[in-house]
Amino acid sequence: AHARMALKITEKLLGNHHPDTATSLINLASMYQSKGELDHAESLFRRTVKILRKALGEHHPNTSVSMSYLAGLLRVKGSYDEAIRLYSKALANYENKLGRNHLHTIICLVNIAGTFDAKGDYCSAEQNFKDSIQRWEEFQPDHPYLVKTLRKFVEMLDKAGFIEKAEKYRQQLKETQSK
């Protein structure tokens, strides 16, 4: 209810195509997603991307954030190829605007890896997980997301039947957790 009211107020004050309206849309879409109303959430996320592309440009970090939200929803819905395409655009934008080892960049890469994992493309998932782990180590080796990424990677390797690789990264996970 609050998210809908905030959207109405923002639209009235700033118009339908203002970046702040897009922020209200993201909040409302996230609420619908959490309630399981995925189609409604998707239409709002798509509207957000459209607004931000027009207002800020295709390569603006805020546009990339909105693409990532949409990609995350598409992943939940099983639309893996479109999710990967959107995450990949966002990743390229983040790398260009924020750098290779920025928090948003690495999280986006982890999301790509997770989407490949969900799709069952374990080779692509592995490559992206390894790249993200390397970037975490370069960016901030004690960042809590490194542990989370390693855990997801080990789970994927186990699921894919890559037992020896899983053991290697399980050991790295243990060492990282003990720091």
Side-chain angles (χ1 to χ4, degrees):
H2 295 315
R4 282 190 292 273
M5 186 179 298
L7 175 61
K8 285 183 182 184
I9 292 168
T10 306
E11 286 176 326
K12 185 175 183 176
L13 293 174
L14 302 173
N16 293 336
H17 304 290
H18 192 278
D20 289 346
T21 301
T23 300
S24 293
L25 280 167
I26 285 175
N27 293 336
L28 185 58
S30 297
M31 181 197 72
Y32 282 119
Q33 182 176 353
S34 71
K35 290 171 57 176
E37 297 179 34
L38 303 183
D39 291 338
H40 198 147
E42 181 180 346
S43 69
L44 295 174
F45 281 134
R46 287 189 186 282
R47 184 173 160 207
T48 300
V49 171
K50 187 176 180 180
I51 289 169
L52 292 175
R53 279 181 174 152
K54 187 172 184 174
L56 303 176
E58 175 75 24
H59 305 290
H60 192 280
N62 290 355
T63 305
S64 299
V65 169
S66 70
M67 288 190 289
S68 293
Y69 274 106
L70 176 57
L73 174 75
L74 292 169
R75 176 177 158 184
V76 169
K77 290 181 75 174
S79 300
Y80 302 122
D81 291 334
E82 187 177 3
I84 290 166
R85 184 180 57 76
L86 283 166
Y87 276 138
S88 296
K89 280 185 180 181
L91 177 65
N93 291 344
Y94 288 140
E95 287 176 334
N96 185 43
K97 297 288 185 181
L98 304 176
R100 169 181 157 71
N101 292 338
H102 187 278
L103 179 70
H104 290 308
T105 307
I106 304 170
I107 289 173
C108 190
L109 187 59
V110 172
N111 287 334
I112 292 170
T115 306
F116 277 120
D117 176 17
K119 183 181 176 182
D121 183 347
Y122 300 124
C123 290
S124 296
E126 179 181 359
Q127 177 184 351
N128 284 281
F129 273 123
K130 284 181 176 178
D131 190 12
S132 62
I133 290 165
Q134 178 186 353
R135 292 183 190 203
W136 281 126
E137 290 170 341
E138 292 168 3
F139 170 66
Q140 193 174 352
D142 59 346
H143 197 286
Y145 282 5
L146 173 58
V147 170
K148 188 175 181 180
T149 302
L150 280 164
R151 188 175 297 119
K152 286 180 180 182
F153 185 37
V154 168
E155 289 171 5
M156 188 277 304
L157 290 169
D158 282 335
K159 180 173 52 175
F162 301 133
I163 306 305
E164 288 179 22
K165 288 181 186 177
E167 275 309 310
K168 173 187 170 191
Y169 286 96
R170 191 174 284 109
Q171 184 59 39
Q172 182 179 351
L173 174 60
K174 288 178 185 175
E175 292 168 8
T176 303
Q177 287 175 316
S178 67
K179 290 181 183 177

